[in-house]
Amino acid sequence: MALSKLFRKKTVQDILKQVEKNEFDGHNALGKHLTARDLTAFGIAAIVGAGIFSTIGKASADGGPAVIFLFLFTAIACSFAAFAYAEFASMVPVSGSAYTYSYVAFGEIVAWIIGWALIMEYAIGNITVAISWSDYFTGLLESGGIHLPQWVQMDYLTASNGFKDATALMQGGKSFENLSSGLQDAYTAYLTSPVIGSFHFVADLPALLIIVLITALVYRGMKESRNASNLMVIIKLCIVLLVIAVGVFYVDTANWHPFAPNGVSGVLKGVSAVFFAYIGFDAISTTAEECKDPQRDLPKGMMWAIIICTLLYIAIALVLTGMVSYNELNVGDPLAFVFDKLDLKWMSGIIAVSAVVAMASVLLVFQMGQPRIWMSMSRDGLLPKKFSTVHPKFKTPSFATIVTGFVVAVPALFLNLTMVTDLCSIGTLFAFVLVCAGVLVLQNKPDIPRGKFKTPYVNSKFIMPVLILIGLIYSFGYNKKATMEFLTNETQIRSSADIITSLDKDHFAKVYEYLVRLDAENSTTDTPDLELILSKYEQDDLQYAAVIKGLPVHDSDKYESGFDLFKHKIPMWIFFIALIGLTVWSYKENLSLIPLLGLICCLYMMAELSVWNWIYFTIWLLVGLLIYFSFSRKNSKLNIQ
């Protein structure tokens, strides 16, 4: 097999001709209903969801009021990527998003990889949102006096892992009442669930319900989806503005001091959570064929959505951190929490209802994007022809929509929220990286027809080396300790929770005896809580290090070192190596600064995700390559031609 066949490309002219010939090939045209206003609303519908109702709390607790700079940084990074998306969308105004753009810029194998990654982004993103929607919905039911059994409102992995952790902590002396509410729920769900053989049936049924309803709406038509999305956007924007308007009267500026309590590292700690708050604007590009004027309206819709949502996020973050101290915001529902804490119960109720609406609108946009990616891949022969079937009456990719419903619904019953959130983030960031790189690859090619929108050109030849120099001065001048720990792979002490949950029964007694000798207050405790005793030493790094050194357990249970520690740094090393390569490339080819910065920012956020996400993502890509070489390569229309 010639290597060149893997990188065979589609031209923009061929893609546009293919759209015109779709009806002759058995593909009906999609209905054109969308304007710039509708696209902006879709963007807001996708972005204002989990971020403003949940992840903003954790990010604020880590970074304090300075988390607004993280929202600004993420918005700028997404804007850089949005410029690249907008340029491609203007150049190639068809469904397919980053998949189609990569087919033009890099060739078929890369297009397949990005298409396969987008399947992860949208499918896993939908699963994430469905699980979050289920949490808010069941919470709303409970506030109204309707209590569903725990085993029908939780996924299997959370229940199973929570049961193990809760059991270990209770063996270590912690009472059930002193467990976190999440562990209590997981323990109860696993214990009370129906048992089939040795399998405990725990499944998130409300998540299944919302997926079925949204899939039916998306199947029914773009016009109906647009109208539902616009209505939900109006509702949640009104609620967000109400929260800001009411909350501003309860802001105590004393809560903004210190503004950055944990420094730059604290602010950046929430980078993946905050980025997840912006996922969705790229879904707009999948609706290109259903726009009345895609070359003009797609860039406008993306930019306005990011600008509006960033302003809302910053305002909400300032109000939240002004109403209560930042260190109280590490909760799953921060908006409802702060108003409940200030005894404004009526606002908590309104926020709970709006959160359910907001999550549903995010799911709607994501559930629209997925079938259109599959439809584009099917048109090119990389997926079976059935996936490109368009409903003759509803003018939607009907078969692909139904398959999307199944692909999202089944895993949502059983998968863990944290796992799917990070997988969604890495798939999205990978797509952003390739789209930005695609613009850079095509920037100097004169034979590429240009659309109405083009990213403003700024030569990065000398700017990139200067930025690298500034980064080095900061790292070794102002952040030397953390930098040297990273470079030298210095041994790290495990957290108290990690140590206690890793112990077996034989070690519990030894550890307890050791801690009692250190803490006379606990010498008469009948039900020792090892985690509680050990965690209080974490307030002082030197004291904690001394206590851990004397623990009567193996060093591997106390410390993380060697390759076990280094493997978590592999993504960041990949980023640094790529950064050097990009700097050299920019110097040689006079690359455009905006898409280059978009590529670097997105690659950095990928590096902030754990090595396990990289491993799971790599496995996903390998499965995709197996499908490509066994089916897609030989059925590709470019191969047949």
Side-chain angles (χ1 to χ4, degrees), residues 78 81 85 97-98 114 116-126 275-276 278-283 366 420-436 598 602-603 605-606 609 617:
C78 288
Y85 266 95
S97 185
I114 197 64
W116 191 247
L118 285 171
I119 290 173
M120 170 179 277
E121 174 192 346
Y122 290 118
I124 299 291
N126 288 348
F275 172 74
F276 187 74
Y278 281 93
I279 285 179
F281 78 84
D282 59 313
F366 275 45
V420 293
T421 300
D422 288 344
L423 281 174
C424 180
S425 293
I426 197 169
T428 307
L429 287 165
F430 184 67
F432 287 6
V433 164
L434 283 186
V435 170
C436 292
C602 293
L603 195 59
M605 288 190 280
M606 282 182 72
L609 297 172
F617 183 58

Side-chain angles (χ1 to χ4, degrees), residues 154-164 185-187 189-190 202:
M154 183 177 293
D155 62 275
Y156 177 82
L157 280 178
T158 298
S160 176
N161 294 337
F163 178 80
K164 291 174 184 174
D185 291 343
Y187 185 86
Y190 194 81
V202 184

Side-chain angles (χ1 to χ4, degrees), residues 30-47:
L30 300 174
K32 293 183 179 293
H33 303 290
L34 304 178
T35 63
R37 184 182 62 185
D38 297 321
L39 293 169
T40 303
F42 274 138
I44 296 171
I47 296 171

Side-chain angles (χ1 to χ4, degrees), residues 50-72:
I52 216 158
F53 289 100
S54 58
T55 56
I56 195 172
K58 174 70 167 65
S60 298
D62 289 332
V67 74
I68 63 169
F69 296 119
L70 182 55
F71 281 112
L72 276 174

